[in-house]
Amino acid sequence: MVRQPLLFGWMPLLGRRALFALALFVICFLFAFPVLWLILTSLRPESGVYYVHRGTEFTLASFAEVLQEERLVQAFVNSALISTLATVFSLLVTVSSGYMLSRFKGPASSTWFGTIYVFRCVPYISWVIPLYFVAQSWGLYDTYLGLLLPHIAVHICFFSWLMKGFFDGIDPSMEHAALIDGCTRWGAFLRVALPSAIPAISALGVLCWLFTWNEFLFALILTGNKVPMITVVMAQFVTEMGLRWNLMAATAVLALVPAFLLALFGQKYVIRGLRI
């Protein structure tokens, strides 16, 4: 008599739902534990950051000290502004780019696809040094425009592929009917294709904003003192005297709030958009 392995013997008892619930609990725990530890660190006084799991002394002094620093407040505003502008301008180009790649076949479409394919295959970390010299020579270093343009370029290269996939999943018969009724190609795009792609555009908007908000490398290399970004300013608490963990954790918690709220309220759009 052949005995079944222990794992397969327990599977009928647990059931698929129980296994799914267990896996979901493990994943949530792995993600929630570092966030919980970060929040506890931000609420502890500076003398208690190395034993946050012990003691009952909590304070909001770290948050008050962080919000009193003008440079940090400016960094939050800059990060929000750059993220919003990068999202808006990227979607303006990406939506029409994805539509062109999906609906048109020809030299222009093939050239554009090959261009974004080449740029997307090159790791964007290899762009940093050339971008630094270009920004310096054009007078764009440590400016909003010098930081905004690389983010838009990265988003266009990546999200054009996604938008192409979304438009590929939309039946073009309604657009053909609109063309027969007298609409121009732009009219068919704006009145038929674009409304059908709203869930996908919303999903890409959320992902684009979060990517720019969390981006560190471009902000580190292309900015100085004039345009501080939150991901870079957060590192100012690393000094020759040590790390001020409570202030760094408080800044990180404040930076998590807008990203968490956007992900919370935008998750239905992301899920709906990715199902198209």
Side-chain angles (χ1 to χ4, degrees):
M1 179 177 177
V2 179
R3 299 180 59 184
Q4 291 184 347
L6 182 60
L7 176 62
F8 294 99
W10 277 97
M11 283 186 66
L13 298 178
L14 294 175
R16 292 183 178 181
R17 292 184 179 180
L19 288 176
F20 178 77
L22 180 61
L24 184 63
F25 173 78
V26 172
I27 294 173
C28 291
F29 177 78
L30 292 177
F31 279 97
F33 182 75
V35 176
L36 178 61
W37 197 269
L38 181 69
I39 295 174
L40 289 176
T41 304
S42 66
L43 294 174
R44 296 288 285 171
E46 190 170 4
S47 59
V49 295
Y50 294 104
Y51 49 92
V52 295
H53 58 289
R54 293 182 296 172
T56 58
E57 186 180 357
F58 297 99
T59 178
L60 296 175
S62 299
F63 292 94
E65 186 174 348
V66 165
L67 294 175
Q68 287 176 357
E69 295 197 22
E70 183 179 354
R71 181 173 172 79
L72 272 173
V73 176
Q74 184 183 0
F76 274 105
V77 175
N78 289 339
S79 295
L81 180 62
I82 293 294
S83 300
T84 303
L85 291 177
T87 300
V88 172
F89 287 113
S90 299
L91 290 179
L92 288 176
V93 179
T94 300
V95 173
S96 56
S97 170
Y99 183 77
M100 181 187 72
L101 292 174
S102 175
R103 295 293 189 261
F104 295 96
K105 306 299 180 184
S109 179
S110 300
T111 302
W112 177 242
F113 180 81
T115 301
I116 63 175
Y117 180 82
V118 170
F119 278 99
R120 189 56 198 164
C121 290
V122 177
Y124 87 98
I125 191 174
S126 62
W127 299 3
V128 173
I129 300 302
L131 280 174
Y132 173 79
F133 289 115
V134 170
Q136 285 281 13
S137 62
W138 288 2
L140 297 177
Y141 177 77
D142 203 12
T143 63
Y144 290 102
L145 187 60
L147 187 60
L148 184 62
L149 291 178
H151 283 103
I152 295 176
V154 171
H155 297 329
I156 290 174
C157 292
F158 180 67
F159 291 126
S160 290
W161 284 11
L162 295 181
M163 282 307 306
K164 177 184 181 301
F166 292 140
F167 281 117
D168 285 342
I170 298 176
D171 187 5
S173 60
M174 295 297 293
E175 300 166 44
H176 296 160
L179 292 174
I180 294 174
D181 289 340
C183 273
T184 62
R185 173 58 72 175
W186 274 107
F189 167 69
L190 294 175
R191 296 179 181 181
V192 180
L194 191 61
S196 302
I198 290 298
I201 296 172
S202 302
L204 290 187
V206 173
L207 297 177
C208 183
W209 197 95
L210 291 175
F211 178 87
T212 308
W213 177 264
N214 296 321
E215 207 281 327
F216 175 75
L217 190 59
F218 284 159
L220 176 66
I221 302 298
L222 300 178
T223 62
N225 296 321
K226 295 181 182 179
V227 188
M229 300 293 287
I230 188 60
T231 51
V232 177
V233 174
M234 199 181 302
Q236 73 178 9
F237 300 111
V238 181
T239 65
E240 64 274 6
M241 302 299 295
L243 276 71
R244 305 192 67 181
W245 289 108
N246 57 321
L247 299 183
M248 185 181 292
T251 307
V253 170
L254 291 175
L256 280 174
V257 172
F260 176 78
L261 292 177
L262 182 63
L264 180 65
F265 292 106
Q267 62 177 340
K268 62 178 181 180
Y269 300 105
V270 175
I271 295 173
R272 188 188 309 168
L274 295 179
R275 285 179 178 176
I276 292 181

